[in-house]
């Protein structure tokens, strides 16, 4: 009984497309990451930088200027020593990607495309998603729901379609989705030679290729357009439910043309009147090993489709093309035609069939007889390259090579005919080597922006410009105005247009000279990186850092961190991931009895002779509000008396102030804020409000007396938004005050609705971005106050007021307590409907320095958070107002966030205590706008530009005692009380990132592909096995091949060269390395506690390395086993981390590659799989490794794992499946216990013990997970000889590794007799994949499993599935029906909180469970048991 939960979604970008999806004027980027669909928008950000310091220099200069303006006690003179030399600031404009929405898809996305459909009238376009195996989903953006809606789904998986009985399964064939440029039809190539055509209705004549036709066709086009429009209008009038598509039909490529035996690629082409596509195919299968026999076997055919007759016509056919061609890229004007990409050449074929080609390396001439221009001196490798056309009018094409290098392809045009091709590399100073790896997709975003996706490197938003001598100054001016790229394009277009008018002869499109000539500096492209998306793909290996590996500041946390190796080549890196945050502590003072802390950044009257600020009511005050000056503290004395004190913030800490006019015995401080443009400090105590000036002189007191009743209720919470303050009192009434221009605070008159209702929570929000106002609401010029007041009624209703008008709410939603997926006003509800008991409401900005968004955050009585995001829909009737257009969407992935507030009082006063532990808005903490969620542990609710809001645990924060802290030495930090009653000033650690992963992360670039990663605990270091590429040269001293001494190849093949390295965790630097031989590759690395002496039985921590030595196909593969240890040595001066070195203990050469290593038994031996044998070896004093037992596997083993403290191991291979073996030492012997019943291509496996039962989880190459059980007492197991396959679960991702880790969750243990051995602690398996996703497989108690299984059954039918794809059909979870149980999908179960209260209660009624049971059961899912 297990469940699989995805902790980190896939991060590898496989496909992308740009289209106006959300609005007609938007430029949205849609990205596919395996089974995750993300929608981004482009955001422009202005930045300032210098040549010496491009991060934060302007802020430092401004800070120092402010400090020099006056003499303050907070100034640290050491910072004013003149060491900072002013530099000239350069203002640049960069683009960033902002996440708009993301949706998990129940399938593997294989293609994305854009299309215009007739049913969309607002100017946006639809999205086509091709899903494995042969499915197409049509998606559109619903502006009234602010979400993606599924228009239709088309699938071609019926068995009748596979007419050929020997055709391979659909899962074994690739699919290709291509769209006609005129949006008239879509083609899906699936299976071997099947082609599905899906026509679309189009209003009018929308052939995009007709723009360049002759003028004499205009009259005919106009008449045709009128006929089409009238025909469509007639059809619409007859059938109002018309779909945007017509019935699809199937074609066989072999019936279209008998020569299309082996189709390679196809794509629709531009500039044709009818839908026309080009097909690259061959009649004979191309083979790299038969190059000379099968040379130039490719054929390029162009076919025109007749959608009415469902027939095709051959337009042209070009044969005898190079055999290594693999892709067809259609090109729009001004070039046109098709670009065919091969491994060694590029070929262009125009509409008339004219061929132009260019060779990019020396192998093009050897493998093809096609005439080509010779640029073999470039020595390019075009395998897995991506191309994208630059600009709208330019004919240049950008090439991204597999190494990440950039090149420009230029077409030489003679009128409309391509007469030649030329390629030039982009040099390093122009950004030609910015990328660290190859691309998986490439999409132009316009305005000089290109998005480059990567499966083995970070996805990158790349910006480009074209610099020329006569436009340099104008481009610089345009840069300052934010329109540099548009200006650059305009100048290029004008220049090219002038050249066409006034110059004769053959011209290049970009005027870069003759074919093959070196590029001139004038007109070169300049590239730079604007934004990166974090990628963990491929996740190669993983280790868990124990508590001893953590920093000294982690005394307050027992959490561990995941250390993940990912990516390949130059982009290889190490990622440190945690679900909790360990901050850097700069100030630590013991403060017993502290209950609350607030920092104040206020202006004080200027000293005589000092500069003054003249801004509104701040005239006459000094400009010293850049940093916090005072600290308000609320404490409880030994006599349980609560009081307040004030301290001054100094460079060395805090200095208590003895103020005669400050009354600290008025009670504990509830909140402190700043009003009147920073000139008034407002302190709120239980029964009054006290106002101070910048020097803490008392200027006013406002008592909390209700004039209507004469009572004096106590303050529960408060909210500030200059010049207003909102107070919530314990009698569920509110008190709104405003500070006038003179600093006087008066009550704002309340209307009757406010007095009559009971309010339990409220929040003020300054909507300076007008996110809550309808679009165009302020176009009339009337300025309305940006201050909004959000109130929560006792019945769970939401009321929004625009201050200072308190007579009538601007928006009312009485159904907030139902927690519907979309909240809207004027909904009718039954009195008996189930509501959630809500306690607190807050509106806060969440985001980073790039962009922030407002969110409505709600906390209920069970300390769970629900987040709503505001949006605007079109007004159905009446003028555009907040009531008619404002709606709220529940955030999908963060709709349930437990806050875990611990209450030590009786249940009667529990809600009151929770209301006092309010959420706190923090505007700028390390560049993030976030919300502190009080509890144990405390949490930060955060988001980045590319992520949804997520929670990050901060174990060092105790309760609600926290405030922002900004001083000269601690900028943008926070101050809080930790678990040791210490008042600490903390900040994010160096290198901290909070991105789309939702975890606290830190990245260290390695630059070489990491084959293995292990943790060496004793020396607190990490061991890496890395590979680097180097050219392979034939042996010069081989007497049998004397011709090898003179090698003519300049483009030599690349092979891996392995090394073993030590990574120090304090400085994150490589401190030692051991290089292996030229053809020796590391396959396995394991750190084990082994016996190193046969005499003394001494044990030590040993690094065992298994390698493979392959010298050619005619020589047998050898292997070697190494044994290392890390020893301390004398470090280099000033570099203490260099005090670690490798020591070689032993080396053993073996027959066959050493493919896997693991420890086995309790004697300190290890199991090594070398060749087709598995041997148990022991390390001797002389360094030799004595084999003591062996197993003849008769196949190469890929996985070996052992059960700790037991003589049991599992062996897996790619041919014979899974074996369970046992080892004993008297005599030494290893024998097979059981085997899997079927031959599976196992790629990873791990033990998962559960009580007295032994389970094994395995993953195969078909992306499935299998649960096996070893049960010799079951008759079906044949006395244990057969491993029982209990369940199957389709993972959808290729597993790279599995790791068994102990679980901290309280797994129920059955009662056992004292004589029986205790059960093993509960274990769980951490699973990493090649797509960057990380998941966990967890065993569940029987009661928990039964509840979650019943919930999953009904939940699958109640949720909205994007694309019409069913999660149950995708996962294909199957059990044996006897002793096995279906593997549960934890990601699906966590969507339970997306449902509203009504549907949730309906589901629980069907299941027969209580809400508390489901809530407790869902706690088992995720990373809660990993202690990360």
């Amino acid at each position: 009984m297990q469940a699989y939960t995805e902790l980190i979604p896939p991060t590898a970008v496989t496909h992308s497309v740009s289209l106006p999806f959300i609005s007609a004027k938007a430029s949205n980027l849609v990205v596919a990451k395996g089974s995750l669909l993300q929608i981004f928008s482009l955001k422009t950000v202005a930045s300032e930088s210098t040549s010496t310091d491009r991060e934060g220099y302007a802020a430092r200069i401004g800070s120092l200027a402010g400090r020099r303006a006056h003499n303050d006690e907070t100034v640290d003179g050491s910072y004013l020593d003149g060491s900072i030399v002013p530099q000239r600031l350069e203002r640049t404009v960069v683009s960033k990607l902002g996440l708009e929405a993301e949706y998990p898809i129940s399938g593997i996305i294989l293609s994305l495309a854009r299309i215009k459909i007739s049913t969309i009238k607002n100017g946006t376009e639809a999205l086509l998603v091709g899903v494995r195996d042969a499915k197409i989903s049509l998606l559109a953006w619903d502006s009234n729901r602010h979400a993606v809606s599924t228009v239709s789904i088309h699938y071609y998986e019926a068995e009748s379609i596979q007419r050929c009985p020997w055709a391979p399964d659909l899962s074994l064939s690739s699919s290709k989705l291509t769209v006609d440029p005129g949006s008239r039809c879509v083609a899906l190539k699936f299976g071997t030679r099947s082609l599905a055509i899906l026509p679309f209705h189009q209003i009018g004549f929308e052939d995009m290729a007709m723009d360049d036709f002759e003028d004499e066709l205009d009259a005919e086009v106009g008449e045709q357009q009128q006929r089409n429009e009238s025909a469509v209008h007639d059809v619409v009038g007859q059938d109002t439910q018309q779909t945007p598509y017509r019935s699809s039909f199937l074609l066989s490529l072999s019936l279209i043309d008998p020569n299309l035996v082996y189709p390679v690629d196809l794509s629709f082409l531009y500039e044709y009147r009818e839908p026309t596509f080009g097909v690259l195919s061959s009649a004979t299968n191309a083979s790299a090993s038969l190059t000379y026999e099968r040379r130039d076997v490719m054929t390029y055919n162009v076919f025109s489709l007749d959608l009415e007759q469902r027939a095709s016509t051959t337009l042209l056919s070009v044969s005898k093309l190079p055999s290594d061609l693999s892709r067809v890229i259609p090109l729009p004007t001004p070039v046109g035609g098709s670009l065919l990409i091969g491994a060694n050449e590029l070929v262009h074929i125009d509409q008339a069939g004219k061929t132009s080609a260019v060779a990019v390396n020396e192998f093009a001439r050897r493998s093809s007889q096609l005439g080509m221009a010779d640029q073999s001196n470039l020595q390019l490798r075009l395998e897995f390259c991506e191309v994208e056309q630059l600009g709208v009018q330019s004919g240049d094409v950008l090439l991204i090579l597999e190494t990440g290098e950039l090149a420009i392809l230029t077409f030489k045009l003679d009128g409309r005919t391509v007469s030649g091709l030329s390629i030039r590399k982009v040099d390093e100073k122009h950004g030609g080597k910015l990328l660290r790896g190859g691309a998986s997709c490439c999409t132009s975003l316009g305005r000089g922006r290109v998005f480059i996706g990567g499966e083995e490197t970070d996805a990158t938003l790349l910006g480009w410009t074209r610099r020329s001598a006569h436009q340099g100054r104008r481009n610089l001016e345009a840069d300052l105005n934010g329109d540099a790229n548009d200006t650059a394009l305009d100048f290029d277009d004008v220049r090219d247009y002038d050249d066409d008018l006034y110059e004769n002869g053959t011209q290049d499109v970009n005027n870069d000279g003759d074919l093959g000539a070196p590029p001139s500096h004038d007109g070169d492209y300049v590239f730079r990186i604007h934004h990166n998306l974090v990628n963990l793909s491929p996740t190669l290996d993983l280790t868990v850092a124990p508590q001893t590996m953590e920093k000294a500041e982690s005394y307050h946390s027992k959490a561990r961190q995941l250390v993940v190796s990912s990516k390949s080549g130059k982009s290889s890196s190490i990622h440190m991931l945690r679900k909790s945050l360990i901050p850097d502590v700069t100030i630590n003072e013991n403060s017993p009895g502290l209950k609350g802390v607030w920092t104040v950044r206020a202006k004080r009257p200027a000293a005589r002779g000092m500069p003054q600020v003249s801004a509104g009511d701040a005239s006459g005050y000094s400009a010293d509000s850049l940093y916090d000056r005072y600290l308000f503290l609320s404490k409880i004395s030994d006599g349980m008396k609560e009081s307040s004190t004030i301290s001054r913030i100094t460079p060395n800490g805090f200095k208590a102030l003895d103020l005669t006019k400050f009354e600290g015995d008025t009670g504990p401080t509830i909140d402190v804020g700043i009003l009147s443009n920073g000139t008034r400090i407002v302190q709120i105590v239980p029964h009054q409000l006290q106002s101070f000036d910048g020097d803490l002189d008392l200027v006013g007191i406002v008592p909390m007396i209700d004039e209507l009743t004469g009572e004096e209720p106590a303050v529960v919470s408060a909210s500030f938004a200059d010049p207003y303050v909102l107070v919530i009192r314990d009698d569920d009434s509110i008190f709104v005050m405003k500070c006038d221009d003179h600093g006087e605070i008066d009550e704002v008159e309340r209307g009757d609705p406010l007095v009559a209702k009971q309010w339990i929570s409220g929040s003020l929000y300054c909507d300076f971005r007008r996110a809550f106002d309808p679009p165009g609401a302020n176009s009339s010029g009337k300025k309305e106050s940006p201050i909004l007041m959000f109130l929560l009624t006792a019945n769970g209703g939401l009321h929004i007021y625009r201050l200072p008008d308190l007579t009538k709410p601007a928006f009312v939603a009485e159904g907030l307590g139902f927690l519907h997926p979309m909240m809207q006003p004027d909904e009718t509800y039954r009195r008996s409907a189930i509501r959630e008991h809500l306690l607190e409401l807050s509106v806060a900005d969440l985001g980073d320095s790039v962009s922030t968004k407002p969110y409505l955050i709600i906390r209920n009585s069970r300390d769970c958070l629900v987040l709503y995001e505001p949006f605007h829909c079109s007004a159905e009737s009446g003028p555009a107002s907040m009531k008619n257009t404002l709606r709220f969407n529940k955030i999908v992935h963060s709709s349930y966030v437990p806050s875990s507030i611990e209450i030590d009082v009786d249940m009667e006063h529990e809600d009151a205590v929770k209301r006092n532990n309010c959420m706190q808005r923090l505007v700028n903490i390390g560049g993030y706008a976030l919300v502190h969620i009080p509890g144990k542990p405390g949490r930060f609710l955060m988001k980045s530009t590319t992520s949804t809001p997520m929670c990050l645990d901060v174990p060092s924060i105790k309760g609600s005692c926290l405030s922002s802290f900004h001083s000269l030495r601690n900028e943008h930090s926070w101050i809080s009380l930790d678990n040791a009653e210490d008042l600490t000033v903390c900040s994010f650690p160096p290198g901290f990132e909070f991105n789309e992963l939702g975890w606290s992360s830190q990245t260290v670039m390695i630059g070489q592909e990491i084959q293995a990663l292990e943790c060496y605990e004793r020396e607190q270091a990490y061991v890496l096995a890395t590979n680097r590429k180097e050219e392979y040269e034939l042996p010069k001293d081989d007497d049998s091949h004397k011709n090898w001494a003179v090698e003519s190849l300049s483009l030599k093949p690349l092979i891996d060269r392995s090394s073993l390295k030590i990574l120090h965790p304090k400085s994150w630097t490589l401190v030692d390395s051991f290089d292996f031989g030229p053809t020796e590759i590391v396959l396995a690395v394991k750190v084990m506690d082994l016996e190193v002496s046969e005499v003394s039985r001494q044990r030590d921590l040993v690094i065992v390395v298994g390698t493979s030595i392959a010298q050619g196909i005619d020589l047998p593969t050898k292997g070697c086993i190494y044994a290392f240890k890390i020893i301390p040595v004398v470090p280099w001066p000033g570099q203490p981390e260099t005090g670690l070195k490798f020591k070689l203990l032993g080396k053993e050469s073996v027959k066959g590659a050493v493919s896997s290593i693991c420890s086995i038994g309790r004697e300190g031996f290890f199991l090594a799989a070398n060749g087709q044998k598995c041997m148990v070896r022991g390390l001797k004093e002389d360094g030799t490794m004595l084999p003591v037992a062996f197993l003849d596997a008769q196949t190469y083993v890929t996985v070996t794992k052992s059960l700790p403290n037991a003589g049991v191991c599992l062996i897996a291979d790619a041919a014979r499946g899974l074996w369970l073996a046992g080892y004993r030492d008297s005599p030494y012997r290893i024998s097979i216990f059981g085997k899997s019943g079927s031959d599976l291509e196992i790629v990873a496996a791990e033990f998962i013990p559960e009580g007295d039962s032994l389970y094994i989880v395995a993953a195969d190459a078909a992306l499935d997970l299998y649960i096996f059980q070893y049960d010799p007492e079951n008759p079906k197991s044949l006395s244990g000889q057969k491993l029982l396959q209990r369940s199957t679960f389709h993972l959808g991702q290729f597993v790279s590794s599995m790791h068994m880790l102990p679980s901290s969750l309280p797994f129920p243990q059955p009662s056992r007799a004292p004589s029986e051995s205790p059960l093993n602690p509960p274990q769980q398996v951490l699973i990493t994949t090649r797509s960057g996703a990380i998941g966990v497989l967890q065993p569940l108690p029987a009661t928990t499993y039964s509840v979650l299984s019943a919930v999953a059954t009904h939940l699958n039918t109640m949720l909205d599935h994007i694309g019409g794809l069913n999660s149950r059909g995708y996962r294909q979870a199957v059990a044996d029906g006897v002793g096995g149980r279906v593997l549960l999908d934890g990601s699906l179960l966590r969507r339970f909180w997306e449902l509203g209260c009504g549907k949730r209660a309906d589901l629980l009624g069907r299941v027969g469970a209580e809400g508390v049971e489901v809530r407790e059961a869902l706690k088992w899912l995720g990373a809660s048991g990993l202690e990360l």
Side-chain angles (χ1 to χ4, degrees), residues 1051-1064:
L1051 186 63
K1052 298 181 176 62
L1054 300 178
I1055 61 172
D1056 289 329
R1057 180 74 178 268
S1058 294
S1059 301
L1060 196 68
K1061 302 179 183 296
I1062 300 176
L1063 180 66
H1064 203 281

Side-chain angles (χ1 to χ4, degrees), residues 50-363:
T50 65
S51 58
T52 58
D53 184 4
R54 298 185 180 272
E55 295 183 359
Y57 176 76
R60 293 170 60 189
I61 291 295
S63 301
L64 292 175
R67 299 271 67 80
R68 288 190 179 99
H70 63 282
N71 184 14
D72 197 341
E73 297 180 11
T74 61
V75 176
D76 184 4
S78 62
Y79 288 86
L80 306 179
D81 56 357
S83 60
I84 299 180
V85 180
Q87 302 287 335
R88 182 175 62 89
L89 295 178
E90 299 178 0
R91 183 179 180 185
T92 59
V93 177
V94 297
S95 297
K96 300 291 184 180
L97 294 175
L99 181 66
E100 297 292 341
E102 65 177 11
Y103 302 94
I105 302 294
S106 298
I108 305 299
I109 300 176
L110 298 182
S111 54
L112 295 175
R114 57 186 290 184
I115 189 170
K116 295 181 180 180
I117 59 178
S118 58
T119 56
I120 298 180
K121 307 298 183 182
N122 58 1
T124 61
E125 297 184 12
L127 177 68
L128 284 167
V129 180
V131 183
R132 181 183 175 184
D133 292 312
K135 294 186 281 287
I136 304 176
S137 294
L138 180 62
L139 307 179
W141 186 262
D142 188 352
S143 58
N144 291 327
R145 295 174 49 245
H146 197 70
V148 167
S149 63
T150 302
V151 179
S152 62
I153 180 172
H154 312 266
Y155 52 91
Y156 306 92
E157 298 174 316
E159 296 181 359
S160 59
I161 296 177
Q162 295 290 332
R163 300 176 181 176
C164 184
W166 56 82
D169 188 75
L170 286 179
S171 60
L172 303 178
S173 304
S174 61
S175 299
K176 174 66 181 295
L177 178 68
T178 178
V179 180
D180 172 54
S183 298
R184 292 163 292 190
C185 65
V186 174
L188 176 67
K189 184 265 176 186
F190 63 97
T192 306
R193 285 175 287 274
S194 298
L195 187 67
I197 306 296
L198 179 62
F200 279 81
H201 293 292
Q202 290 297 324
I203 299 178
F205 189 78
E206 295 185 7
D207 191 351
M208 298 175 60
M210 295 298 296
D211 294 341
D212 298 326
F213 276 26
E214 291 79 1
D215 294 337
E216 56 267 18
L217 293 178
D218 291 345
E220 179 182 352
V221 171
E223 296 175 359
Q224 180 68 26
Q225 182 175 359
Q226 293 179 0
R227 290 195 298 269
N228 290 343
E229 289 181 355
S230 61
V232 172
H233 290 165
D234 292 340
V235 173
V236 173
Q238 297 173 3
D239 184 10
T240 58
Q241 301 297 328
Q242 179 191 16
T243 60
Y245 51 85
R246 294 182 287 174
S247 60
S248 61
F249 57 93
L250 296 177
L251 296 175
S252 176
L253 292 177
S254 58
L255 295 179
I256 295 177
D257 191 331
N259 293 324
L260 301 181
V261 181
Y262 296 100
V264 177
D265 194 19
L266 62 88
S267 184
F268 278 101
L269 307 179
Y270 294 90
E271 299 185 286
Y272 283 92
R273 187 181 185 88
E274 298 293 337
T276 304
F277 63 93
V279 182
L280 180 65
S281 64
S282 65
T284 304
N285 196 7
S287 175
S289 60
L290 301 174
T291 302
Y292 292 98
E293 290 78 3
R294 300 182 182 180
R295 177 180 296 184
D296 296 338
V297 298
M298 288 294 172
T299 303
Y300 179 69
N301 300 276
V302 176
F303 302 95
S304 176
L305 275 178
D306 188 344
L307 300 179
E308 299 295 335
Q309 301 297 327
R310 299 187 175 184
S312 62
T313 304
T314 303
L315 298 184
L316 65 88
S317 178
V318 180
S319 59
K320 295 184 178 181
L321 295 175
S323 302
D324 58 355
L325 294 177
S326 59
R327 293 182 60 189
V328 177
I329 306 296
L331 298 177
T333 55
V335 179
S338 302
L339 179 66
L340 309 183
I341 302 178
N344 309 306
E345 67 282 320
L346 294 173
V347 180
H348 179 268
I349 301 178
D350 62 10
Q351 293 181 343
K354 180 182 177 181
T355 302
S356 303
V358 57
V360 298
N361 58 47
E362 57 189 300
F363 293 102

Side-chain angles (χ1 to χ4, degrees), residues 1207-1244:
V1208 180
C1209 67
L1210 62 87
I1211 301 172
D1213 60 83
R1216 297 192 176 185
L1218 190 68
W1219 302 354
L1220 180 66
Y1223 164 77
R1224 64 179 182 180
D1225 56 353
S1226 55
Y1228 293 116
R1229 183 181 178 182
I1230 182 171
S1231 56
I1232 297 295
F1233 287 169
K1235 299 181 180 180
S1236 58
S1238 57
D1239 295 337
L1240 302 174
E1241 192 175 349
I1242 302 296
V1243 296

Side-chain angles (χ1 to χ4, degrees), residues 431-447:
K433 295 184 178 181
L434 289 175
L435 305 180
R436 294 180 174 269
S440 59
C441 59
C442 191
T443 302
S444 175
L445 300 178
R447 299 172 61 87

Side-chain angles (χ1 to χ4, degrees), residues 74 96 125 129 399 559 590 604 685 801 862 1009 1033 1077:
T74 61
K96 300 291 184 180
E125 297 184 12
V129 180
L399 277 76
N590 186 258
R604 63 172 185 173
V685 293
Y801 289 83
R862 296 185 180 93
E1009 183 175 345
E1033 295 185 359

Side-chain angles (χ1 to χ4, degrees), residues 939-952:
R939 285 181 170 91
F940 283 162
L941 181 61
M942 308 174 60
K943 78 175 293 291
S944 67
T945 307
T946 55
S947 73
T948 57
M950 300 179 187
C951 270
L952 187 65

